[in-house]
Amino acid sequence: TSVSLEEGEDNLFGVPDGLQAVFNTGILGALIVTVIGSITWQIIASTFPQAFLGNPLTYVFLRVCLFVDKIGICSSAWVLAKMYKKIGGFQKDSVYIGTAQERKQMRLPDDTSNVHITPGHILKLPAFAKPPEVLK
């Protein structure tokens, strides 16, 4: 999927030499294949959900995906969170406010002074205190 140009040939789409070097790595082809490969299955699944989910092979793929998700090997957010925790010196909530058992033992009530809404009512965000007439 990479592009090979002979000496003296113009760059693909007339792009600069630096961008042509990126095209030559094959990353563009990999990106296109990934997008098309992902979209194809999504379209099939949305068009024929019962047939797609009833396929035994889908169940095997689902189990493999759930296993990979469970071990966290693809979760870059966890890596970023651990780095941020180390840099910021953050600790678990139980260090700051205690565990539920400790709070119950000390009879500490929940602080509801900052909660000005009741169930079934939407909290107004500060930026939308006065919405434009169009949005009313």
Side-chain angles (χ1 to χ4, degrees):
T1 59
S2 64
V3 178
S4 297
L5 297 175
E6 300 296 323
E7 282 294 322
E9 265 188 279
D10 290 339
N11 287 345
L12 188 65
F13 305 122
V15 297
D17 291 337
L19 189 56
Q20 183 62 46
V22 173
F23 289 164
N24 292 345
T25 63
I27 193 83
L28 185 63
L31 183 66
I32 290 170
V33 167
T34 301
V35 169
I36 291 174
S38 297
I39 294 294
T40 304
W41 289 109
Q42 291 176 18
I43 291 171
I44 291 171
S46 66
T47 307
F48 308 105
Q50 196 168 15
F52 186 78
L53 293 174
N55 186 343
L57 193 58
T58 303
Y59 180 76
V60 172
F61 285 146
L62 177 65
R63 284 300 189 176
V64 169
C65 290
L66 288 174
F67 175 75
V68 170
D69 183 51
K70 184 176 181 178
I71 62 175
I73 196 168
C74 296
S75 298
S76 60
W78 290 108
V79 175
L80 294 174
K82 284 185 179 183
M83 289 174 20
Y84 192 60
K85 178 182 172 185
K86 184 168 270 199
I87 291 169
F90 299 121
Q91 298 178 10
K92 293 186 179 236
D93 286 346
S94 58
V95 173
Y96 300 109
I97 61 172
T99 63
Q101 292 82 10
E102 291 171 348
R103 290 177 55 79
K104 184 177 181 181
Q105 203 172 33
M106 294 187 293
R107 293 192 171 92
L108 291 175
D110 291 331
D111 182 15
T112 58
S113 62
N114 291 331
V115 181
H116 303 292
I117 60 170
T118 57
H121 293 86
I122 299 175
L123 175 66
K124 290 185 179 179
L125 299 175
F128 291 106
K130 294 182 182 177
E133 291 296 321
V134 177
L135 296 177
K136 287 185 179 180

